[in-house]
Amino acid sequence: ALARELAVMRAQAAEALAEGDHMEAHRVLLVARSVDDEDVELAVLWAELMTAMGRQRAARRGWQRVRRLDRSGAKDIGVHDSVV
């Protein structure tokens, strides 16, 4: 049940981010991260949101967190090397 709820929140955040609704993406991600702050996909969405909002320090920290959480290297975040 929890995994399904997190999947729904990830989808909601991704949709809001794609639509440029940063406030909604932020709201959803805060809730989702309070449930599971070790979720790599949530960390990626958070870093993408911070990047989209122009919050460079927060984005840099976000991408560094993605690297730490994604020990397996499953997420391709090479395009963000310049921010990390």
Side-chain angles (χ1 to χ4, degrees):
L2 186 57
R4 186 170 45 247
E5 288 178 32
L6 281 172
V8 168
M9 287 188 275
R10 281 192 297 267
Q12 289 172 336
E15 182 178 341
L17 188 56
E19 293 173 354
D21 188 349
H22 297 159
M23 295 297 288
E24 177 64 8
H26 189 264
R27 184 191 69 74
V28 172
L29 287 171
L30 284 177
V31 173
R33 291 177 70 196
S34 74
V35 173
D36 184 356
D37 68 348
E38 299 291 312
D39 185 281
V40 177
E41 290 180 50
L42 289 175
V44 168
L45 287 167
W46 182 262
E48 288 175 345
L49 174 63
M50 294 298 106
T51 301
M53 293 175 68
R55 296 182 56 190
Q56 294 176 346
R57 281 192 182 140
R60 185 176 300 114
R61 285 192 307 269
W63 289 115
Q64 289 170 342
R65 180 168 174 70
V66 169
R67 286 185 187 276
R68 281 194 307 275
L69 290 175
D70 188 27
R71 294 179 191 98
S72 68
K75 296 291 175 198
D76 180 15
I77 58 171
V79 294
H80 300 288
D81 286 338
S82 60
V83 228
V84 180

